[in-house]
Amino acid sequence: MPDTSRPSQREIAGRLLIYGVLLLFVLYFLLPLLVMVITSIKSMEEIRTGNLISLPRHPTIEPWIKAWSYATIGVTNEGIKGFFWNSIRMVIPAVLISTLIGALNGYVLAKWRFRGSDTFFAMLLLGCFIPFQVILLPMARTLGFLGLAESFWGLVLVHIIYGLAFTTLFFRNYYVAVPDELVKAARIDGAGFFRIFLRIMLPISKPIFMVTIIWQTTQIWNDFLFGVCFSTGATQPITVALNNLVNTSSSVKEYNVDMAGAIIAALPTLFVYFVAGKYFVRGLTAGAVKG
């Protein structure tokens, strides 16, 4: 009898073909990153005399040091260091506050339904489809009324408000899958609104918290439009500083410094995905996009 436990030559050929195609796609998508890394460790002389994918003959980290501390951005020569920490200080409170409020909103809409809750949820979802440009003028007037125009906390508030529609959607659809009997039993035992949320909902919410944190971190860190419209000078985030770095007029265009700055700006989001990427997929499959 033939050994059916071993794959046939046709199956092996099919697998090799699939892996080969996937490898080509990987190389295609990673090639720009490879070019950026290689360019960022070359001197300007090597960039002028070589080609895009040629390896550096004398690697140097000087472009990274200059991008971080000494590059000319606008009218300053302080690099992107200060703007990098601006984004860190902005992302942490904006992500945490929008995630916690979204968890409470989702909990209410899923387990403490009230008259008109479905209509309220549908109206809230409109925020997921409103383009950034539509809210610029009303948001600017609101920040001016609150005295937060062109301030650090004004930009944090903008990201919290704009992210609430998404965080509420994620948590509401996740909590809908939680059996109603758990909440009803807790209410019969005398547990109130916050006790049920803290003792029942939060302990089972790790996957959706990771999904929401990754989503919000990526959206807020990579935002440029809100940063350029609602902040100024020393309060601007790194995306605005990176744009100013690339477009700064200079007698010699330093492509190696530009590439180093772009990679530095991308490192936090890459780190988040490397550390918590598995939780992101797990949270999505656990119900974050269901309902």
Side-chain angles (χ1 to χ4, degrees):
M1 295 180 62
D3 186 4
T4 59
S5 62
R6 299 179 58 184
S8 64
Q9 293 183 351
R10 179 176 296 181
E11 291 175 338
I12 294 176
R15 292 179 183 176
L16 291 177
L17 178 62
I18 293 174
Y19 292 149
V21 173
L22 292 176
L23 181 60
L24 288 176
F25 277 108
V26 170
L27 293 176
Y28 175 78
F29 282 105
L30 289 182
L31 185 59
L33 178 60
L34 177 62
V35 172
M36 290 177 64
V37 174
I38 291 175
T39 304
S40 70
I41 56 176
K42 287 181 180 179
S43 64
M44 284 303 299
E45 181 181 354
E46 284 194 58
I47 293 175
R48 296 191 195 97
T49 58
N51 57 65
L52 282 177
I53 59 175
S54 62
L55 296 177
R57 296 187 298 272
H58 304 288
T60 176
I61 62 171
E62 186 63 28
W64 289 70
I65 297 175
K66 185 172 183 179
W68 179 251
S69 300
Y70 304 113
T72 301
I73 300 178
V75 296
T76 65
N77 296 307
E78 299 177 354
I80 63 174
K81 176 174 60 176
F83 304 97
F84 181 91
W85 294 117
N86 282 346
S87 289
I88 292 289
R89 291 191 294 268
M90 175 188 66
V91 165
I92 292 176
V95 169
L96 293 180
I97 295 173
S98 62
T99 299
L100 289 176
I101 297 177
L104 284 170
N105 289 345
Y107 167 54
V108 171
L109 292 172
K111 299 303 178 186
W112 293 75
R113 301 174 64 84
F114 52 89
R115 179 178 298 179
S117 60
D118 290 336
T119 302
F120 178 80
F121 180 61
M123 294 176 63
L124 185 64
L125 286 184
L126 291 176
C128 298
F129 305 99
I130 296 177
F132 285 10
Q133 295 82 353
V134 173
I135 69 171
L136 291 182
L137 182 57
M139 187 65 73
R141 297 193 63 177
T142 302
L143 293 179
F145 175 78
L146 297 175
L148 297 174
E150 297 183 347
S151 68
F152 172 81
W153 287 108
L155 188 57
V156 171
L157 179 63
V158 170
H159 285 296
I160 291 173
I161 293 174
Y162 194 83
L164 281 180
F166 295 96
T167 59
T168 300
L169 171 65
F170 293 159
F171 279 99
R172 184 264 182 188
N173 287 348
Y174 185 84
Y175 289 148
V176 162
V178 177
D180 292 336
E181 288 74 13
L182 286 176
V183 178
K184 291 179 180 178
R187 295 172 72 175
I188 292 173
D189 290 339
F193 177 88
F194 287 104
R195 189 170 185 180
I196 294 174
F197 179 71
L198 294 174
R199 296 295 182 88
I200 296 178
M201 293 301 181
L202 282 187
I204 62 175
S205 299
K206 181 179 179 180
I208 194 60
F209 263 100
M210 298 307 300
V211 169
T212 307
I213 289 173
I214 293 174
W215 172 273
Q216 282 293 88
T217 300
T218 304
Q219 295 297 311
I220 296 173
W221 184 272
N222 292 332
D223 169 69
F224 172 78
L225 186 60
F226 288 162
V228 76
C229 291
F230 299 128
S231 64
T232 182
T235 64
Q236 291 178 328
I238 192 171
T239 49
V240 179
L242 183 61
N243 175 75
N244 296 338
L245 170 65
V246 173
N247 293 302
T248 296
S249 59
S250 176
S251 57
V252 178
K253 186 62 176 175
E254 296 179 300
Y255 296 103
N256 50 0
V257 176
D258 294 345
M259 294 299 178
I263 296 173
I264 293 173
L267 286 178
T269 50
L270 289 175
F271 174 77
V272 169
Y273 273 101
F274 276 122
V275 171
K278 62 180 180 180
Y279 297 108
F280 185 79
V281 176
R282 188 182 305 172
L284 290 177
T285 57
V289 294
K290 295 180 182 179

